[in-house]
Amino acid sequence: MTAPDPAAPSVPSSPSATPATPLLWPTVDALWTWLNGHRAHGERETLLLRLLKLSEEVGEAAQAVIGATGQNPRKGTTHTWQDVEAELCDVVITALVALRTLTPDAEEVFGRHLARVRDRSLGTGTGTGTGTTNGDGVPPRTP
């Protein structure tokens, strides 16, 4: 049995509520408006570039994980797990802005999708993970 890695992130037993949640969609809309006010390309190109930006942010999150774990022997430990958290937040924000770029109904689209994932993964309203359908009568896919 190996000892736990003291540099590894702690995993909370349950998520805590955050006061930032009510600001989520108004902030996404404000960022979308601000970015659109500074765009240099048409709508199609803007959407494609925002999706590319998402890939860039995912790469930065991966770089932070590599840096937090010291996996590059030439560089050593260059990041903290708080850096990883910040990069993951950037990924989420960028994805939500990209979704808002794709549809003005981003909040509703995301809410419906999140509910489907919740129901498929946790079971409708049970939170136990023992659900037998996706919420549409179809058994969940198994990996």
Side-chain angles (χ1 to χ4, degrees), residues 25 99-100 102-110 112:
W25 290 105
L99 180 60
R100 174 60 184 87
L102 186 62
T103 177
D105 300 323
E107 182 175 2
E108 292 81 15
V109 168
F110 183 76
R112 283 192 310 268

Side-chain angles (χ1 to χ4, degrees), residues 5-140:
D5 180 359
S10 61
V11 179
S13 59
S14 64
S16 61
T18 173
T21 304
L23 299 175
L24 179 65
W25 290 105
T27 302
V28 168
D29 282 337
L31 289 168
W32 175 82
T33 300
W34 175 72
L35 287 168
N36 277 354
H38 294 86
R39 72 181 193 193
H41 302 283
E43 288 183 32
R44 179 180 168 93
E45 292 83 7
T46 295
L47 175 61
L48 294 174
L49 289 169
R50 289 191 184 156
L51 291 172
L52 285 174
K53 180 67 176 172
L54 181 57
S55 295
E56 177 188 19
E57 294 297 342
V58 169
E60 290 175 9
Q63 182 180 14
V65 169
I66 290 167
T69 57
Q71 292 304 300
N72 184 335
R74 186 174 48 83
K75 294 181 180 179
T77 301
T78 59
H79 291 74
T80 66
W81 287 104
Q82 289 75 27
D83 294 329
V84 175
E85 292 171 355
E87 294 299 343
L88 287 173
C89 289
D90 287 347
V91 169
V92 171
I93 292 164
T94 303
L96 292 176
V97 170
L99 180 60
R100 174 60 184 87
T101 302
L102 186 62
T103 177
D105 300 323
E107 182 175 2
E108 292 81 15
V109 168
F110 183 76
R112 283 192 310 268
H113 188 78
L114 182 61
R116 283 193 301 270
V117 170
R118 178 202 59 212
D119 293 348
R120 179 181 67 229
S121 300
L122 303 177
T124 306
T126 65
T128 62
T130 59
T132 58
T133 71
N134 290 344
D136 58 5
V138 178

